[in-house]
Amino acid sequence: MTFQDERPIFLQLAEQLEAGILSGAYPEESRVPSITEYSVTYKINPATALKGINLLVDSGLLYKKRGLGMFVAEGAKEKLKAARREKFYADYVETLVREARNLGLGASELAEMIKRGFEDVD
Amino acid sequence: MSIEIKNLTKNFGDTCALDDVTLSFGENKIFGLLGNNGAGKSTLLGIVTDRLYPTSGTVEVDGENVTNNDTALSKVFLVAEQNMFPEDMSVKKAFNTAQLFYPDFDRAYAEKLSAKFGLNTKKKIKALSTGYSSIFRLILGLSVNTPYLLFDEPVLGLDAQHRDMFYRLLMEKYAEKPCTIIVSTHLIAEAAELIEHTVIIRDGRIIRDCPSSDLTANVYSVSGPGMLVDAYLSDKHVLTVNTLGGLKTACVEGGTAALPEGLVLSRVNLQDYFISLMEEEDRK
Amino acid sequence: MKMHLKSAFRYQFKSALKSAIIFCLIMLAILAVFSILAVGGYEESRATFVGYGFSAAIFMFVIGIVSIRSDLRLCLQLGISRRSAFVSEIFALLALSAALAVVGELITGAAQAAVLTAPSKHVFVGDLYQMMYLQNGFLQLGFFQHILSALCNIGLIWATCLFGMFFSLMFWRLNKAWTVIVAISIPILLNVVPWLLAKAGFDPAPFFTWMLRSPFFYILTCLVIAVFIGVINWLLLRRANIKAV
């Protein structure tokens, strides 16, 4: 992860953690890197790392085991998937529907197009 | 538990190096002290550590005035450009001496860091290159374990690899044993993500003193067609404007009002903000 | 406790100790050679050695010049205030002066004992105290006399040492122009002032007569001078801006 992005570091860190949980790199009940490890690896202030981690704690994706570190919560992957699906709906589907309406496409025509997409796209 | 600087003024003959400076460095945070050459950063850190005598004003460490106060002064360690050890002393002997003065000095850690950086502890201080002279002082700073750790241009003369090592070691130390750190540096881009609270000093006066996130949240860059940009900027606090052909880019401090079509907004990092701020100050 | 003097004192004492040991060894060597020559010499040979106290003072004068700035910088780096560094330096130099004085008594005493067996009647080993206050020349001192001799030397050595410190601090605080002015004017003053005083009818003789009445007056004079110079040294140091070299 490099910080060429303009978005705040703590957000990028949170997203990277979420991606890791989704991909299985951080399985449930496994320990994620500590604040110290993050701050040393990415040369960022521990407070920034903590901010990013706390985002996931607040969404119930991580929990703290005293003296041991931060662990991926049970069901985190599913929770994330569901959240991603909601986001998918908001980012893509709503936009898709609005654009379809602009072009005069109805719901069934749109469904046909989507079916075609599943066949054409690898 | 903090370092409180109150109405500090320092004159060197006719030159005013610090003009009525008031600052507070609170517990367990990393502070950045940014400013151009001659702005007063080294003077400030020097007065806090009794190397320079103030013209007026006070410095308090944990509520105690530092003047003639060893209890207060021994809580503050300054890593600066100047070597304050006898030049014919070996690094090893310097560590021994530090151990004598600081009971909490982590000798094993200092040896470990020396090996890591490739510093030969048998060498005399005068035989060290600029880089290794800095590294020697950095290792001291990282090993003394005082509640307040001050760095004045810590990475002078260090190559990229050593600078990288230092930042990582500093984060490791700070994450595991929190303390109050003040870093005065020219290399803003490198230090930007380490600093939680930024103090910007210019010509002996403090012009910004707030959390880094407040600074960067409150500044942005707009670019677009010249006319549009001008219209947008009319009631804004503009730091700098650059024109490239028909495209104008401006660095603005303040809230983002509704951005009209055709203008692109982007974030400004700490270094670019600092440069823009200095340019604005130059124009004043 | 606002003054942490112990570590500073230990460091300052140790850092000058090495040179002091070398000095003592040199003095010992000189006196040893002297004693051997005297003991094995002819009946008519004549030699005098009374220079320990004076030599030690010169040595400590140099130490006074050399240590203050170096020790002060180190102490400031390691969390000791300038006032504590100064105070412990004064005491460290006093302790060193005392050590040198004691060593001086030991080796001149030993040399005197050796010389007693000398065939020649014209061999003298002694020191300042003996020269100024004892009528009997260079016979061996008693224990109490050794104490007085040591105290006299401590006074002289310490005062001279602080005087060396004064030169170091003075040249530090002065800018280049003033340094040249002072450097030129000192030898001038040393010659001109006594002549002026003599012209004005000022006669230093009574003072010296008083001082020679008792070694305690001599010790007192040294102490007064030392304290006076010490205060000036502190005034010079109080507001100094301390950087490297």
Side-chain angles (χ1 to χ4, degrees):
Chain A
M1 180 172 75
T2 51
F3 298 113
Q4 288 168 359
D5 212 307
E6 277 198 354
R7 282 165 320 148
I9 304 285
F10 75 92
L11 266 182
Q12 293 182 55
L13 198 151
E15 283 166 14
Q16 188 233 28
L17 256 177
E18 285 182 353
I21 294 174
L22 268 177
S23 70
Y26 301 125
E28 288 175 12
E29 300 300 334
S30 74
R31 196 182 73 87
V32 298
S34 67
I35 302 287
T36 308
E37 286 170 274
Y38 272 118
S39 52
V40 170
T41 308
Y42 297 119
K43 291 178 286 182
I44 56 175
N45 192 297
T48 311
L50 184 64
K51 207 167 165 186
I53 289 203
N54 277 342
L55 282 181
L56 274 80
V57 173
D58 292 341
S59 340
L61 299 166
L62 292 178
Y63 69 97
K64 189 174 179 182
K65 264 197 208 169
R66 285 208 115 215
L68 293 169
M70 297 302 232
F71 288 76
V72 181
E74 200 181 312
K77 195 167 173 176
E78 282 312 310
K79 238 186 191 163
L80 265 176
K81 266 195 192 154
R84 285 284 168 102
R85 283 177 179 183
E86 273 308 305
K87 200 163 184 288
F88 176 80
Y89 180 81
D91 290 348
Y92 291 93
V93 175
E94 288 181 1
T95 317
L96 188 69
V97 169
R98 263 190 229 112
E99 184 65 8
R101 284 216 177 106
N102 280 346
L103 294 172
L105 293 169
S108 47
E109 277 173 294
L110 190 55
E112 279 301 316
M113 276 186 136
I114 291 176
K115 255 199 200 148
R116 203 178 85 193
F118 267 98
E119 282 160 24
D120 287 349
V121 175
D122 297 322
Chain B
M1 302 305 248
S2 60
I3 294 181
E4 299 292 332
I5 295 172
K6 295 179 185 161
N7 304 108
L8 201 62
T9 300
K10 174 65 178 171
N11 297 322
F12 289 104
D14 293 334
T15 322
C16 177
L18 289 177
D19 187 0
D20 199 32
V21 168
T22 298
L23 288 169
S24 174
F25 295 103
E27 203 167 4
N28 298 344
K29 247 192 212 157
I30 302 186
F31 292 84
L33 185 58
L34 311 179
N36 288 335
N37 288 322
K41 312 189 291 296
S42 302
T43 307
L44 182 65
L45 297 179
I47 293 178
V48 169
T49 49
D50 200 24
R51 294 186 194 192
L52 302 175
Y53 195 84
T55 307
S56 66
T58 60
V59 176
E60 283 176 15
V61 171
D62 293 352
E64 287 185 31
N65 194 314
V66 295
T67 312
N68 297 325
N69 187 340
D70 297 341
T71 314
L73 284 171
S74 58
K75 290 183 187 170
V76 184
F77 192 85
L78 172 62
V79 175
E81 277 182 76
Q82 302 96 344
N83 170 43
M84 306 280 266
F85 286 88
E87 290 209 310
D88 60 346
M89 192 183 255
S90 68
V91 171
K92 213 177 177 111
K93 182 126 188 284
F95 287 162
N96 290 341
T97 312
Q99 209 160 14
L100 172 67
F101 284 75
Y102 291 100
D104 290 336
F105 183 72
D106 193 340
R107 183 58 189 269
Y109 186 60
E111 296 283 353
K112 185 176 131 200
L113 289 184
S114 302
K116 201 172 165 112
F117 277 102
L119 173 66
N120 181 357
T121 57
K122 294 211 185 88
K123 262 192 160 173
K124 295 202 171 171
I125 292 172
K126 66 180 169 201
L128 297 175
S129 64
T130 318
Y132 273 103
S133 199
S134 291
I135 287 171
F136 157 62
R137 283 189 291 284
L138 290 180
I139 292 176
L140 269 180
L142 291 171
S143 312
V144 285
N145 293 315
T146 49
Y148 300 95
L149 191 51
L150 277 43
F151 291 96
D152 191 359
E153 299 294 347
V155 294
L156 268 186
L158 262 64
D159 58 42
Q161 189 184 10
H162 284 157
R163 289 207 302 276
D164 190 78
M165 275 167 71
F166 168 65
Y167 296 130
R168 293 183 198 278
L169 286 166
L170 187 65
M171 283 305 99
E172 187 175 42
K173 177 200 157 58
Y174 177 68
E176 289 178 357
K177 296 189 213 166
C179 55
T180 305
I181 298 178
I182 305 175
V183 181
S184 159
T185 182
H186 286 297
L187 300 174
I188 301 174
E190 289 188 356
E193 288 307 328
L194 309 174
I195 295 169
E196 291 168 74
H197 190 112
T198 305
V199 175
I200 300 182
I201 184 169
R202 176 160 171 118
D203 292 336
R205 277 185 220 104
I206 306 296
I207 56 175
R208 293 291 184 282
D209 176 15
C210 57
S212 310
S213 48
D214 287 1
L215 273 183
T216 45
N218 208 33
V219 69
Y220 57 97
S221 170
V222 279
S223 59
M227 300 264 287
L228 276 179
V229 172
D230 286 336
Y232 178 77
L233 293 179
S234 55
D235 60 343
K236 306 284 184 305
H237 175 198
V238 182
L239 295 179
T240 53
V241 181
N242 285 315
T243 312
L244 202 65
L247 181 73
K248 246 191 188 159
T249 307
C251 185
V252 180
E253 195 165 21
T256 50
L259 205 64
E261 278 294 319
L263 289 185
V264 176
L265 194 76
S266 53
R267 287 185 69 208
V268 174
N269 65 38
L270 191 61
Q271 177 157 295
D272 290 339
Y273 170 69
F274 175 81
I275 294 170
S276 302
L277 187 65
M278 289 299 120
E279 284 178 13
E280 186 202 27
E281 292 287 326
D282 284 342
R283 287 197 309 271
K284 282 190 185 164
Chain C
M1 181 62 203
K2 298 230 176 101
M3 286 179 98
H4 298 177
L5 295 178
K6 206 168 86 172
S7 0
F9 176 85
R10 274 178 65 185
Y11 169 77
Q12 286 157 343
F13 184 79
K14 270 179 77 176
S15 77
L17 189 63
K18 259 179 243 158
S19 317
I21 290 176
I22 295 176
F23 169 80
C24 291
L25 289 174
I26 293 176
M27 285 286 116
L28 192 64
I30 293 176
L31 276 173
V33 167
F34 183 86
S35 311
I36 292 169
L37 287 177
V39 168
Y42 294 106
E43 286 240 349
E44 293 308 311
S45 62
R46 184 189 181 86
T48 324
F49 185 92
V50 292
Y52 181 87
F54 201 64
S55 309
I58 303 273
F59 167 74
M60 285 297 276
F61 177 75
V62 174
I63 294 288
I65 293 178
V66 157
S67 357
I68 182 66
R69 279 196 247 172
S70 168
D71 290 349
L72 193 65
R73 275 198 293 273
L74 184 135
C75 286
L76 281 172
Q77 171 73 77
L78 299 179
I80 305 292
S81 71
R82 58 180 68 199
R83 188 178 74 177
S84 301
F86 176 73
V87 168
S88 66
E89 183 80 49
I90 301 280
F91 281 116
L93 294 173
L94 177 60
L96 203 56
S97 306
L100 284 174
V102 166
V103 168
E105 291 312 308
L106 289 172
I107 55 183
T108 39
Q112 278 177 333
V115 156
L116 271 180
T117 66
S120 161
K121 296 293 174 284
H122 307 287
V123 177
F124 308 107
V125 176
D127 210 343
L128 287 169
Y129 162 75
Q130 241 172 328
M131 300 240 312
M132 295 199 290
Y133 296 102
L134 299 183
Q135 267 69 41
N136 64 359
F138 301 90
L139 298 182
Q140 263 214 294
L141 295 181
F143 181 73
F144 185 65
Q145 288 171 321
H146 270 301
I147 302 275
L148 284 177
S149 177
L151 287 174
C152 285
N153 274 344
I154 292 176
L156 175 72
I157 295 170
W158 193 41
T160 320
C161 183
L162 294 184
F163 201 46
M165 191 194 281
F166 165 73
F167 275 107
S168 185
L169 292 173
M170 187 179 61
F171 283 120
W172 189 13
R173 295 302 308 276
L174 296 176
N175 60 28
K176 272 233 168 62
W178 274 103
T179 309
V180 173
I181 294 174
V182 170
I184 295 178
S185 44
I186 285 180
I188 294 177
L189 285 173
L190 281 175
N191 283 300
V192 167
V193 167
W195 174 79
L196 277 175
L197 288 175
K199 275 248 152 166
F202 177 79
D203 185 14
F207 170 72
F208 287 111
T209 321
W210 167 80
M211 201 172 71
L212 283 170
R213 289 229 308 266
S214 158
F216 292 105
F217 293 163
Y218 174 76
I219 295 169
L220 183 66
T221 310
C222 287
L223 279 178
V224 166
I225 293 175
V227 168
F228 178 67
I229 300 178
V231 167
I232 293 184
N233 286 348
W234 170 243
L235 291 175
L236 282 171
L237 182 52
R238 265 192 84 214
R239 294 181 179 235
N241 295 322
I242 297 155
K243 301 170 199 173
V245 180

